[in-house]
Amino acid sequence: MDQRGVKTRKRNLIKKGSGLFELRPPEYFSVPLLAADGDMPVRAVNVGEKVCEGSLIAKPSGRYGSFVYSPCSGKVVGIVRKLNANGNECEHVVIERDLENEKELMSPLDALEQTPEQLLKRLYMSGMTDNFMPYEPAYKKYLLKCNIKTLIINCTEDDPYQSCDSAMIETLTSEVVEGARLLKKLCKADQIVFIFTLANMSAETSLRNHIKKLGDKTIKIKTYSNVYPLHNSRLIAYYETGKMVVRGARTAQIGVIVESVSNCLDFYNAVMKGIPCTQRAVSVTGKNTLRKANYFIKNGTPISHVLKLVGTKKEYDDNMLIYGGIMSGIAQETLDISVGLGASVIIFTDSGDYEKDNETPCINCGRCLRACPVRLNVKRLDDAITLRRFDMAKKLGVDACIDCGACSYVCPAKRFLAQRMSFAKDIVDGKVGKKPTSSNYILIEGEDLTRQGVEFETDTKKINETQSSALPEIDEMLKVLNEKTKQEEEEQARKNQEMQAKLAKKDAKKNDEGGKK
Amino acid sequence: MNSKLVVTPAPHVTKPFSTNMLMFAVVIALMPTAISGVINFGTNALWMIIISVGCSFVFDLLFRFMVTKKFNIVDLSSLVTGLMVALVLPAKAPLYFAVIGSFLAIVIFKGCFGGLGRNILNPTAAARVVLGLMFSSLTLSLFSGGGNMADVGSPLSYFMLGDYSSITLRSLFFGTAPGAIGTASIFCILIAGVLLMLFSITNFVMPVCALATFILTVWLGKGSIAIIPFLFSGGFLFVAFFMLTDPVSSPLTMWGKLFYGLIFGALAGLFRVYFVMGETGVFVALIICNILAPLLDKIFQPHPIGIRRA
Ligand code: SF4
Ligand code: SF4
């Protein structure tokens, strides 16, 4: 398969082979109950309750919820409702850590117990979520009863700042491989394929050596060319099989399951040691951080705490906090968020480099078309969306867009292409206006001390400017859409009336004729 | 830590390459051609270039002021257009040619269509064709005998009569034979064109396809002896490398580009071989292809993968 996308310059600010560190846990955790897209879990603890590390604090509700476990031992001191790092509003449980370090573990599964059913149950119980698109609970991929041929472990690290996957593979090679083999057992796949790019060769070599030692013939290694995007499971499945599943469908339908390195490691821990998923390896990097490295960060650690421990430079005025990669991450409005299980990169940088240029007219160069991994006619879509022709956008296939941002990256006219695409997709799906647009903070119960370190303000003026220049006014759009549907309805009604009138005339004529006869 | 957090939509970084850099690269690539033109044809050529570029700049500024009520030059595209207009005019032409040409290109064929990115026709080619129509007898005589070579016809006029010996290939290659200012020196055009392609500033598909069909038509029409003289004269290579690849008026998609190049090469060859159109032929061919470009885009619409079927 020819890979499409853009070549990004790797910005490995983190020294290669510097390993993985544990981040010292904070005094207060603020654990988001919703780590990925899915149904909101139901809280299982109340204020004042004592929790251990690994004890259950939320249970799934609805079809696709997930379990949430406490990252530390301590006491629940508050429950708040605010935005999580992915921009979804959900409840957060505030836990005050104590020094007792009690742990509550599940019982490990031994070799006899490792049947697919048991493993699936353990995966469900472990509370793992994916840290790649689409952000979903990890077990969701395995629910379809399909014939799985290949289990792909995505180690490509397509984001220029990301290096946590390599670090995990280099330091915890056997755990990762064992985890992958357990997952293979779970989905009964024929083979495991680890995919790398040319940019992380050292991790590939250490993995290759390990596999050679194991002598497992079903584990293969593939090297992709180093183009962005590679973080989307549907796209990886397409490169592997030549078939693309539609948005919302699962790659298991075409016999491929894509997993991340973190999931392998967490699954290994959950099965062999009984530890539920409460931490993730995250690259903390960016120009304004001091100790750039890959850290294991516990679920619910406030970002302000991370930045305090990592250290920030103070000489810049305008900072940016990007959660989840420079290419497709979310720039945060406040420091009042906590690291969730979907994290892989946290970038703290100054805005100097990334100040958005003004849009200039499109020069029709076709670079966006060549960059788009799903072969959309991005330029025509851009025209259609600026003219508010969402029907045309739909016809051109806007819902195939995977929100990668390659088109915006490559455009010489600096047009806000990817931003428009995702907006149009929301309009086509009828999702506009449902997501919260600013951070609402509601204290439900108890107190929240994680907000102490938050001294940053948000430059709302700038947000408004960028948003308004990037996208046409939402209200106006909705109005146009409504009008259009209204017009269509009216036209339909008019046509119906005409038809009826005609029919009535015919009937009358017939009756007349009949009467004459 | 009492500073501010900036929020922008993803992606938070863009490729350090902008429209202006693209335009600037084209200007740089045109420089050797322009310099060789000045060396070969003398000061008149230099004045033509200066006046054309200056007028383009001023016209662009004034037109923008007229439309937007603001004095701002946002892009360098007027520079490129101005330079191109000078380079496709005959070296001995009177200086008001440059003024009229840049007015036509900037105001009529670019500004009136809606500015950069909206023009359907390549402004330079359109201006050149209109100029040729306005002063048809004049242009013909001007092309014959440039600079110090009085009473010598333009190379293409000899070739089209079947006389391949009176102009040496060497003089064509280095631009000492009479012709338009920029289109004469094949050497500079080839070097700059290939460099532009190597840095992927222009697309290589279109010129390659154009060359292929052009050579084929000339070969079929006039035999193999005519290929090199026809290729090296009359500005075909200049148009193929610098004007055909103009992103604004060429198709978007790869297949569209391919067919665009093929059609252009065939038309240019036909106009030379069968319709004896002289220097203007390639520009007319280019304009016809410009008009075809949106159609080609429509035909070769890319098929998105993973699209939801309703
Ligand atoms: S249109 Fe969508 S899928 Fe295509 S490059 Fe842009 S963001 Fe990526
Ligand atoms: S990359 Fe930008 S300038 Fe080029 S065609 Fe696409 S939108 Fe237009």
Side-chain angles (χ1 to χ4, degrees), chain A residues 33-39 66 84 86 88 129-130 134-138 341-342:
Chain A
L33 298 190
L34 193 65
D37 294 346
D39 295 311
S66 56
N84 69 5
N86 288 346
N88 296 325
T129 41
D130 291 344
Y135 298 95
E136 280 171 339
L341 290 178

Side-chain angles (χ1 to χ4, degrees), chain A residues 95-211:
Chain A
I95 300 171
E96 183 180 15
R97 185 166 64 94
D98 58 20
L99 300 173
E100 286 166 28
N101 251 339
E102 280 174 65
K103 282 184 187 169
E104 197 179 306
L105 301 178
M106 298 181 269
S107 61
L109 297 178
D110 56 32
L112 276 182
E113 285 171 326
Q114 288 168 4
T115 57
E117 290 75 33
Q118 285 286 342
L119 287 172
L120 183 59
K121 202 174 158 207
R122 181 52 57 95
L123 184 64
Y124 180 51
M125 296 293 293
S126 68
M128 280 158 51
T129 41
D130 291 344
N131 54 358
F132 51 86
M133 279 203 229
Y135 298 95
E136 280 171 339
Y139 65 87
K140 205 172 154 184
K141 296 188 285 282
Y142 299 90
L143 292 181
L144 274 190
K145 291 223 161 19
C146 292
N147 218 350
I148 306 293
K149 280 199 206 75
T150 321
L151 173 70
I152 300 179
I153 314 294
N154 187 352
C155 326
T156 47
E157 296 179 336
D158 60 351
D159 198 82
Y161 281 92
Q162 190 182 2
S163 63
C164 55
D165 286 357
S166 306
M168 253 183 287
I169 291 172
E170 276 166 31
T171 50
L172 300 162
T173 321
S174 64
E175 278 92 340
V176 170
V177 174
E178 279 315 304
R181 287 168 92 177
L182 286 173
L183 283 172
K184 184 186 141 202
K185 219 183 250 179
L186 159 57
C187 62
K188 296 182 230 130
D190 300 337
Q191 56 172 357
I192 307 176
V193 178
F194 283 85
I195 55 171
F196 287 89
T197 61
L198 295 172
N200 47 14
M201 289 303 280
S202 57
E204 190 189 328
T205 346
S206 63
L207 189 78
R208 206 178 279 275
N209 290 340
H210 185 79
I211 290 169

